[in-house]
Amino acid sequence: MATEAAHRPPLDLYGLNARYANAAYIAASKTNTLEKVESELLAIKASAENSKEFASFLENPLIGRDIKSKQVEELLKGQTSPVTLNLMTTLAGNARLNSVVGITDSYVKQMKAKRGEVEATIISADPLNKTQTAAVSEAMKSQFPKGAKVVLKTEVDPSIMGGLQIQIGDKFLDLSVGSRIEEVSRTVV
């Protein structure tokens, strides 16, 4: 029982994509291939997003499950770990290959949680320089658990007019000029 707990995914994610991602996580944990499976799934996701032919194959409901399973096995056998191969053939057999991008995203969330990584996105009207990014990052440190590794992304959105919008996990802080103008216009009218 204690060994089963050691292989549990760090996050409780729900839904169809999470069910497959959690199963893959447990299987990869038991075979000590968590990082390898993550990189393989990210490569498959990139292929699905960049290749129209591969994306069409994944999404085409007219190709039978048996044919898809055989083609996936031929394509991935010897190229991927047994965990990734098993996941992909299971998805093909269950007519769920079109969910591979969402499943990969759920698996990556589990891996980031395992590594103690917290994703934060800073949205600004103009690109931030290194000094500004460092200052915002320093100011946000109190929002993260101790020992967390912060993965900081910056985005530019001119529609916010100025200020910042910050997303940390599922928390969203809007300090933009655009939202303040909207707030004032609602109270004046």
Side-chain angles (χ1 to χ4, degrees):
M1 190 90 167
T3 56
E4 291 299 317
H7 299 296
R8 272 185 52 104
L11 297 175
D12 289 330
L13 300 178
Y14 300 98
L16 187 66
N17 292 342
R19 182 176 295 180
Y20 286 104
N22 290 343
Y25 182 93
I26 291 168
S29 178
K30 288 179 178 179
T31 59
N32 203 24
T33 56
L34 286 167
E35 288 80 14
K36 184 174 197 288
V37 170
E38 179 183 26
S39 65
E40 291 169 351
L41 288 176
L42 286 170
I44 292 169
K45 176 185 174 182
S47 295
E49 291 175 338
N50 298 327
S51 168
K52 288 184 180 181
E53 293 83 15
F54 187 58
S56 175
F57 168 75
L58 295 176
E59 295 173 9
N60 190 344
L62 300 177
I63 301 173
R65 294 176 185 198
D66 294 339
I67 295 170
K68 275 192 178 181
S69 292
K70 284 180 185 159
Q71 288 180 337
V72 164
E73 191 167 350
E74 288 172 13
L75 182 69
L76 299 178
K77 194 167 192 135
Q79 305 293 318
T80 62
S81 66
V83 173
T84 304
L85 178 63
N86 186 39
L87 173 65
M88 294 301 291
T89 54
T90 301
L91 291 174
N94 293 341
R96 298 278 184 216
L97 279 174
N98 59 345
S99 300
V100 75
V101 170
I103 292 166
T104 300
D105 291 342
S106 293
Y107 188 88
V108 168
K109 278 183 191 173
Q110 295 289 13
M111 290 301 294
K112 283 182 179 179
K114 180 187 182 308
R115 291 188 289 259
E117 293 177 0
V118 178
E119 201 169 279
T121 304
I122 302 170
I123 304 166
S124 60
D126 297 314
L128 298 176
N129 61 35
K130 288 186 186 264
T131 308
Q132 292 168 324
T133 303
V136 172
S137 179
E138 187 65 33
M140 292 184 342
K141 279 196 175 173
S142 67
Q143 299 298 313
F144 302 111
K146 277 204 187 272
K149 297 174 205 151
V150 180
V151 179
L152 195 60
K153 292 190 315 187
T154 58
E155 295 177 8
V156 176
D157 181 3
S159 70
I160 68 171
M161 295 184 222
L164 298 172
Q165 292 178 334
I166 302 170
Q167 177 139 16
I168 303 169
D170 58 353
K171 298 177 190 166
F172 187 75
L173 180 62
D174 191 350
L175 304 171
S176 66
V177 173
S179 69
R180 297 293 178 245
I181 291 172
E182 188 178 309
E183 187 179 309
V184 169
S185 69
R186 275 187 273 154
T187 58
V188 171
V189 175

